[in-house]
Amino acid sequence: MSAGREGADMENGPIAAAAGGSHAHEGAQRLRPRGSNQVGMRQFNERVVLQAIRLHGPLPKAEIARLTNLTAQTVQIIIARLEAEGLVIKHAPLRGRIGQPSVPMALNPEGAFSIGIKIGRRSLDVLLLDFAAQVRERLTLDYDFPDPDTLFDEIRARLKLLRKSLGPKRGQLLRGVGIAAPLSLGGWQSLLGVAPQQAARWHEIDIEAEVQEMTQLPVALCKDTAAACVAELVAGRGRSVRSFLYVFVDTFIGGGLVIDSHLRSGATGNAGAIGSMSMGAALRGEPPRQLLSVASLFTLEKMYAEAGLDTGAAADARAMQAPWLPVTQAWLALAAPGIA
């Protein structure tokens, strides 16, 4: 989640968390990290070097110096320090060129680990990620609506399982826990068929504080749509597009707004929240339909249920297989034009 805060300022600084992707060369000119050769900039420059490798893939030291505007000597010192800390590793030398073969430096997936928690209205996901942002383990729990009396016990148990899976030595490399959750987890209870008193309980709960009590690791909370949007900005196609609207299709549809490579939250934190947008003129005697009423996975689940099918297929590959596929296609015929 720390990537969420720093990722919004990509052109002015690097990412300080284990977020990244496999698009090695996309967006090189858009999100080009720049370092400083001034004294006292050690941590900043380390992040700049790590971000350069994260954006471009394995790089020789000379190329790192060129991309970051750091001197060759500074890069040499930083790489030596990062290698000693186990955050970067050497790849096979590049031969066939004039002079000494260059040695690309890459992120060490085993250099650090983090845990990501997504608390959704329909499911819980707890992930273990390595320093190259690859998912090592995923623990999932499905439910009709999250019950705070049991949900945090489930999160605590999963945190223990993931830490245990790392073992004592690698467990020391866990750096933090990030949480993504809807801005108003107790909202839209009437559509979900949830009792008002059950939904209202979430208005009184500090999710970040509850998880922080379970661990000594730093914990950060981010709105789920913002977290997904920042992931696209940092590790996906967003690195090559300056301004875009990110569409987040979950239980309810939402979005994130990026302008000039910065995530814009808006005055109330709801910039990009497209779900409440009107679908057009209201029918006689009925309120106007909102986009979330047709382009949300909740609607797809209802259509599956009406067809006598397992609603859980909305979250996995069965949605594109028989007998769910015709229903999925019918939902897409409503959702896609609405989004457009």
Side-chain angles (χ1 to χ4, degrees), residues 30-50:
R30 295 285 189 205
L31 303 176
R32 184 173 175 180
R34 305 284 284 182
S36 171
N37 290 296
Q38 297 181 13
V39 177
M41 300 292 289
R42 168 180 166 174
Q43 188 178 52
F44 176 79
N45 285 337
E46 286 181 354
R47 293 178 177 184
V48 167
V49 169
L50 288 171

Side-chain angles (χ1 to χ4, degrees), residues 20-276:
S22 60
H23 304 272
H25 300 290
E26 288 185 15
Q29 299 304 314
R30 295 285 189 205
L31 303 176
R32 184 173 175 180
R34 305 284 284 182
S36 171
N37 290 296
Q38 297 181 13
V39 177
M41 300 292 289
R42 168 180 166 174
Q43 188 178 52
F44 176 79
N45 285 337
E46 286 181 354
R47 293 178 177 184
V48 167
V49 169
L50 288 171
Q51 181 63 3
I53 298 173
R54 199 177 297 284
L55 288 174
H56 297 271
L59 293 170
K61 296 172 190 175
E63 184 66 9
I64 294 174
R66 186 186 70 81
L67 288 170
T68 61
N69 201 35
L70 293 167
T71 66
Q73 181 182 13
T74 299
V75 170
Q76 178 74 28
I77 294 171
I78 291 173
I79 288 296
R81 191 158 54 227
L82 293 174
E83 189 176 9
E85 294 173 356
L87 295 178
V88 298
I89 53 176
K90 294 177 180 177
H91 273 203
L94 298 175
R95 304 183 185 279
R97 299 179 181 179
I98 298 175
Q100 292 291 326
S102 58
V103 179
M105 303 303 300
L107 297 181
N108 179 9
E110 295 281 323
F113 297 90
S114 59
I115 292 176
I117 301 172
K118 186 217 169 184
I119 301 175
R121 291 185 172 91
R122 289 302 204 195
S123 64
L124 167 73
D125 287 295
V126 184
L127 283 69
L128 176 66
L129 298 97
D130 62 27
F131 195 50
Q134 298 302 305
V135 177
R136 294 294 187 92
E137 291 192 56
R138 179 191 298 268
L139 304 175
T140 301
L141 174 69
D142 295 322
Y143 41 68
D144 291 329
F145 188 77
D147 177 10
D149 289 335
T150 60
L151 183 70
F152 292 108
D153 289 338
E154 296 287 351
I155 292 175
R156 182 180 289 104
R158 283 159 173 76
L159 288 176
K160 289 181 179 178
L161 281 174
L162 293 181
R163 181 181 285 274
K164 184 177 180 181
S165 71
L166 284 173
K169 185 176 180 180
R170 293 196 303 166
Q172 297 177 11
L173 299 176
L174 267 175
R175 298 304 185 209
V177 177
I179 309 168
L183 184 64
S184 178
L185 192 55
W188 309 106
Q189 73 272 8
S190 58
L191 281 176
L192 292 171
V194 178
Q197 59 271 25
Q198 183 183 0
R201 294 185 60 193
W202 282 104
H203 300 320
E204 306 168 358
I205 293 174
D206 186 333
I207 296 175
E208 185 175 352
E210 291 284 345
V211 176
Q212 186 64 78
E213 289 185 1
M214 305 175 191
T215 177
Q216 294 180 343
L217 296 170
V219 175
L221 173 69
C222 184
K223 189 171 72 166
D224 55 355
T225 52
C229 183
V230 167
E232 190 68 37
L233 174 65
V234 173
R237 293 295 301 277
R239 292 187 297 181
S240 59
V241 181
R242 261 193 184 281
S243 302
F244 61 89
L245 172 68
Y246 180 85
V247 178
F248 181 83
V249 182
D250 198 21
T251 302
F252 295 119
I253 189 170
L257 183 63
V258 171
I259 300 177
D260 291 335
S261 298
H262 288 64
L263 177 67
R264 305 294 180 178
S265 59
T268 61
N270 275 327
I274 60 175
S276 57

